[in-house]
């Protein structure tokens, strides 16, 4: 058991190292030049060269990688060429927005997906199952930006009961904050819920056909107890993995929903950084997102033995 | 007169500002604007002596672009806390979320104090969200949105739409003269005849703007040369004839594409109309869409492009400035199309003549020559002038859009 944990934790190190090389390499491979963008189209070639020298962009790529990696080891992710704010500061502003959006939309997704998924699996082939399948296909096909614009138009412009986009920070009151986050959470959560629901339904159907469920029923265990204690608990194990992966995606920021609702989150931050060739910000954020992804997966992996005794039993030497 | 940090504004600060812009180490985009200045001397606390070799008409209008900064600040291009002396002072910038400025209570012009306590600028990239926010009353003003939305908003009583006169920005095509096919003047002229300007403005600009093209100036500008109006129109026969003359009969051997940046629909619309026009006479140019950073690098650094549409400004400036700044008109190393002082005989002389005399008649004559030489060699076709639309809630008063987008907010007020 200890060995399993140790191997999983140590395995993260080469992954993260590989990520730094990949992130740095890809970001610097994109054609374009921050000096040209910040100096503007009226600038002369000397002005642009001067800016490139100042930012060290005239150095070979491996030298720049070395400096960047050295800084990262010291916890310095760099600063923006444009706003002169550090990456940590920028992420400090954007991450709470994205984190709140991710949690709320995951909540929306789970609230829709869990009851609908369970009911669909239990009443497989019923009118509810068919209707849920139809709704989830529609949900999967509706583009997030369109749903977002429609929600803004209906609740923001027509009924005027919620703000038409924009973010209200928590300091300005919980109610105002939640009001600004409801629509984006619904737009994002609806899409996630359809995937989660299909997944939960499939894994629950697998479990319901398992031998131990038949045994439990044969023993005379009541149907709801079979469902709650035996079936759902087991079906939730793979569901947790999918939930973890979803959370990872959501933490990366969802560029489209953040743009539609004008939320100053991670997605827009990284997109603007890439478009501006703000290398330090782009590499810093992508690295953080990748690291968060790796860590969430690690946590999910570490949770497995807790959720599933079979994982523990499979490694008796630990 | 004081800066926002309380320091007194003196001639020393103005000298510091101008010298910083002129210093190539600083990297200011305005350096070319102040090119003719040879020296800046402080006479006393409120007077400067600015030296040029000769009369230079571009210098005074260029000052309109200069923001005076205190010499105690460094010359960093992107400051964390910008300090000026204007009616509003900087409070904070949260990237992607807001820029906040507040009333400068120590503003020098006590007779014209700012009416608003503070202004919050919010970047909202999604057009429909921006418009929804003003319609819902969540924001008070939306600045510069797609003209196609104007008729819808004009019909909505919740907002008032204001339009910029079409004058400052003109739609142009940068044409790469360094390589075929546009090293040939006939090929460039064919491009000038290929755009259905009327169709573009009618279908994509809600009929707003000025389809009368071919000059950086409109007929409201003193330097405008009326003979340019009809030099190029929409004529597919002319396109075919000129391309044949250029050595590409019936579309044979002509290979080029339009380079378009993502997120600028007007550039793509014009490129598509031009593509369609060329297709009708047997040529098949492609449209290549790249994101803006790459577009800019290919235009300015690698020169890896054939034709690219843009809407540069300075159509309302003094022509001395119009022809000395930017990427299209001055024949300098920064010229996108590769225009050199030798490309058009007499062009540089005519520009210098207009820039170095005070006689208005002679200036007008010189700039007429500049415009007609441009028509003849057509280093970059000009396709009319762009307007811009802004929409505000009815409580926004005295918002007058600035013709050259150097918006002042000092007189704007808000009645709730």
């Amino acid at each position: 058991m200890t060995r399993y944990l140790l191997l999983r934790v140590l395995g993260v190190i080469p992954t993260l190292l590989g990520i730094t090389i990949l992130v740095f390499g890809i970001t610097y491979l994109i054609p374009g030049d921050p000096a040209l963008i910040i100096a503007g189209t009226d600038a002369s070639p000397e002005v642009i060269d001067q800016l490139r020298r100042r930012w060290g962009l005239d150095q070979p790529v491996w030298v720049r990688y070395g400096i960047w990696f050295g800084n990262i080891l010291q916890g310095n992710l760099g600063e923006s060429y444009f706003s002169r704010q550090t990456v940590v500061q920028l992420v400090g502003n954007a991450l709470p927005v994205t984190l709140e959006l991710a949690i709320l939309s995951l909540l929306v997704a789970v609230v829709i997906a869990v009851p609908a998924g369970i009911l669909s699996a239990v009443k497989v082939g019923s009118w509810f199952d068919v209707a849920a399948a139809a709704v989830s296909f529609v949900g999967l096909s509706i583009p997030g930006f369109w749903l977002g614009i429609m929600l803004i138009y209906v609740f923001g412009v027509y009924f005027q009961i919620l703000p038409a986009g924009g973010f209200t920070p928590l300091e300005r009151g919980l109610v105002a904050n939640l009001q600004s986050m409801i629509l984006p959470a619904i737009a994002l959560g609806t899409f996630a819920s359809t995937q989660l629901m299909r997944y939960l339904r499939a894994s629950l159907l697998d479990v319901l056909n398992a031998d131990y469920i038949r045994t439990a029923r044969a023993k005379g265990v009541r149907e709801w107890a079979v469902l709650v204690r035996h079936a759902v608990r087991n079906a939730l194990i793979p569901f947790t993995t999918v939930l973890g992966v979803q959370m990872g995606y959501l933490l990366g920021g969802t560029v489209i929903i953040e743009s539609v609702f004008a939320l100053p989150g991670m997605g827009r931050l990284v997109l603007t950084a890439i478009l501006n060739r703000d290398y330090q910000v782009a590499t810093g954020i992508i690295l953080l997102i990748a690291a968060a992804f790796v860590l969430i997966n690690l946590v999910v992996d570490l949770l497995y033995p807790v959720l599933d005794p079979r994982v523990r039993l499979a490694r008796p030497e630990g | 007169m004081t800066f926002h940090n309380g320091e007194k504004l003196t001639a020393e600060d103005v000298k510091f500002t101008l010298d910083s812009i002129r210093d190539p180490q600083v990297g200011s985009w305005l350096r070319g604007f102040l090119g003719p200045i040879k020296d800046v001397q402080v006479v006393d606390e409120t007077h400067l002596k600015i030296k040029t070799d000769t009369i230079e008409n571009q210098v005074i209008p260029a000052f309109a672009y200069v923001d005076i900064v205190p010499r105690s600040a460094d010359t960093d291009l992107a400051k964390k806390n910008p300090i000026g002396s204007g009616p509003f002072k900087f409070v904070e910038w949260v990237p992607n979320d807001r820029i906040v400025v507040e009333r400068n209570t120590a503003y020098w012009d006590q007779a014209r104090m700012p009416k608003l306590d503070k202004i919050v600028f919010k970047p909202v990239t999604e057009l429909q969200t921006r418009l929804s926010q003003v319609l819902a009353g969540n924001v008070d003003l939306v600045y510069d949105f797609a003209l196609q939305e104007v008729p819808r908003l004009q019909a909505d009583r919740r907002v008032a739409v204001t339009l910029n006169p079409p004058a400052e920005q003109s739609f142009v095509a940068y044409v790469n003269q360094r390589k075929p096919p546009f090293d040939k003047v006939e090929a460039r002229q064919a491009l000038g005849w290929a755009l259905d300007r009327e169709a573009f403005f009618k279908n994509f600009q809600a009929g707003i703007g000025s389809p009368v093209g071919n000059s950086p100036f409109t007929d409201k500008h003193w330097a405008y040369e009326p003979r340019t109006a009809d030099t190029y129109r929409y004529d597919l026969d002319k396109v075919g004839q000129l391309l044949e003359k250029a050595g590409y009969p019936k579309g044979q051997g002509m290979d080029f594409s339009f380079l378009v940046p993502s997120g600028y629909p007007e550039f793509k619309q014009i490129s598509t109309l031009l593509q369609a026009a060329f297709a009708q006479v047997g040529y098949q140019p492609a449209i290549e869409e790249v994101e803006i950073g790459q577009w800019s690098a290919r235009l300015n650094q690698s020169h890896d492009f054939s034709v690219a549409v843009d809407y540069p400004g300075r159509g309302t400036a003094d022509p001395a400035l119009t022809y000395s700044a930017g990427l299209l008109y001055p024949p300098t190393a920064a010229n996108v199309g590769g225009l050199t002082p030798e490309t058009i005989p007499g062009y540089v002389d005519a520009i210098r003549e207009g820039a170095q005399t005070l006689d208005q008649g002679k200036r007008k004559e010189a700039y007429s020559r500049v415009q007609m030489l441009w028509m003849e060699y057509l280093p970059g076709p000009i396709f009319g002038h762009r307007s811009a639309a802004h929409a505000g809630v009815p409580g926004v008063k005295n918002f007058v859009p600035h013709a050259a987008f150097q918006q002042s907010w000092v007189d704007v007020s808000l009645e709730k």
Side-chain angles (χ1 to χ4, degrees), chain B residues 68 72 219:
Chain B
I68 298 161
S72 63
D219 55 3

Side-chain angles (χ1 to χ4, degrees), chain A residues 142-165 183-184 186-187 257 260-261, chain B residues 126 128-129 132 152:
Chain A
I142 290 179
F145 74 89
W146 182 84
L147 182 63
I149 290 170
M150 287 301 121
L151 287 171
I152 288 178
Y153 193 77
V154 173
F155 295 100
V157 180
Y158 192 76
F159 291 116
Q160 303 210 349
I161 46 175
L162 288 167
L183 296 182
I186 292 174
I257 290 297
V260 167
F261 287 94
Chain B
E126 173 57 43
Q128 292 307 329
T129 309
S132 290
R152 170 164 84 97

Side-chain angles (χ1 to χ4, degrees), chain B residues 276-385:
Chain B
F278 275 84
Q280 282 189 51
V281 288
Y283 303 83
Q284 303 294 337
I287 289 182
E288 194 186 347
E289 190 165 345
V290 294
E291 56 79 40
I292 186 79
Q294 198 181 339
W295 183 79
S296 182
R298 282 177 61 176
L299 250 56
N300 295 289
Q301 288 178 329
S302 63
H303 305 305
D304 173 20
F305 77 102
S306 291
V307 183
V309 177
D310 192 6
Y311 48 69
R314 272 176 290 290
T316 59
D318 187 285
L321 192 61
T322 313
Y323 286 112
S324 67
L327 308 170
L328 183 64
Y329 303 112
T332 59
N335 190 282
V336 167
L339 185 69
T340 66
E342 291 77 37
T343 315
I344 311 175
Y347 180 67
V348 176
D349 298 334
I351 288 179
R352 294 314 303 155
E353 213 177 304
Q356 294 176 343
T357 172
L358 292 175
D359 183 322
Q360 196 69 0
K362 282 188 182 153
R363 293 195 75 198
K364 193 166 164 45
E365 192 276 319
Y367 289 122
S368 287
R369 241 184 307 140
V370 172
Q371 288 165 75
M372 292 316 286
L373 282 169
W374 189 269
M375 290 297 93
E376 192 182 337
Y377 289 85
L378 206 68
I382 304 166
F383 303 120
H385 286 80

Side-chain angles (χ1 to χ4, degrees), chain A:
Chain A
M1 189 63 213
T2 323
R3 190 159 164 252
Y4 168 74
L5 294 180
L6 205 69
L7 277 176
R8 286 299 297 117
V9 174
L10 284 178
V12 166
I13 295 169
T15 313
L16 286 176
L17 202 69
I19 287 171
T20 63
I21 295 170
L22 242 130
V23 166
F24 191 87
I26 290 174
T27 316
Y28 281 79
L29 275 178
I30 315 173
D33 190 336
L36 198 62
I37 293 167
I38 206 166
T41 45
D42 283 316
S44 68
E46 310 94 76
V47 167
I48 289 161
D49 284 345
Q50 172 59 30
L51 286 175
R52 302 187 86 245
R53 271 197 300 280
R54 186 192 295 174
W55 293 329
L57 295 172
D58 52 340
Q59 305 271 344
V61 172
W62 56 270
V63 173
R64 283 187 278 161
Y65 174 76
I67 297 170
W68 179 72
F69 190 68
N71 284 337
I72 282 172
L73 288 182
Q74 295 166 40
N76 174 10
L77 288 167
E79 66 167 35
S80 164
Y81 299 138
F82 290 76
S83 67
R84 286 300 154 92
Q85 300 186 12
T86 64
V87 173
V88 174
Q89 249 175 320
L90 290 168
V91 170
N93 286 332
L95 189 63
V97 180
T98 298
L99 201 63
E100 185 181 351
L101 179 62
I103 292 171
L104 286 178
S105 47
L106 216 56
L107 206 68
V108 169
V110 168
V111 165
I112 300 173
V114 170
I118 293 174
L119 216 59
S120 284
V122 173
K123 309 260 182 213
V124 65
S126 69
W127 67 266
F128 180 86
D129 186 29
V130 175
V135 170
S136 73
F137 281 129
V138 172
L140 273 174
S141 333
I142 290 179
F145 74 89
W146 182 84
L147 182 63
I149 290 170
M150 287 301 121
L151 287 171
I152 288 178
Y153 193 77
V154 173
F155 295 100
V157 180
Y158 192 76
F159 291 116
Q160 303 210 349
I161 46 175
L162 288 167
F167 176 69
T168 312
L170 205 55
E171 301 92 89
R172 305 245 298 269
L174 180 67
V175 175
N177 167 262
L178 284 177
Q179 278 176 338
S180 72
M181 291 304 257
I182 290 175
L183 296 182
I186 292 174
L188 206 56
T190 310
F191 181 77
S193 76
T194 54
Q195 284 175 309
L196 289 177
M197 193 205 99
R198 304 304 299 165
Y199 203 85
L200 182 61
R201 178 185 177 275
S203 74
L204 194 58
L205 277 179
D206 272 353
V207 173
L208 284 171
N209 289 325
D211 291 342
Y212 62 86
I213 296 289
R214 201 172 337 121
T215 312
R217 281 182 180 145
K219 281 200 305 187
V221 180
R222 277 194 215 136
E223 190 55 31
W224 69 265
V226 170
L227 194 66
V228 175
R229 282 203 206 128
H230 301 281
V232 173
R233 262 181 79 173
N234 280 302
L236 279 179
I237 296 165
F239 184 75
T240 316
T241 317
V242 180
L243 215 58
V245 173
Q246 282 279 355
M247 188 69 188
Y249 280 124
L250 292 173
L251 276 187
T254 46
V255 177
I256 291 172
I257 290 297
E258 284 178 7
S259 297
V260 167
F261 287 94
L263 301 175
M266 298 284 280
R268 269 177 85 199
L269 186 63
V270 75
L271 181 74
T272 336
I274 292 171
L275 290 182
N276 285 336
R277 302 292 183 273
D278 203 345
Y279 293 136
Q280 304 256 351
V281 179
T283 48
I285 296 170
I286 298 172
L287 186 69
L288 282 179
I289 293 171
F293 218 103
V294 170
L295 290 179
I296 288 173
N297 273 311
L298 179 69
V299 170
V300 171
D301 274 3
L302 297 182
L303 270 176
Y304 259 7
V306 182
L307 291 172
D308 190 348
R310 283 170 299 184
V311 177
R312 264 174 291 175
L313 295 173
R315 290 172 181 79
E317 77 276 19

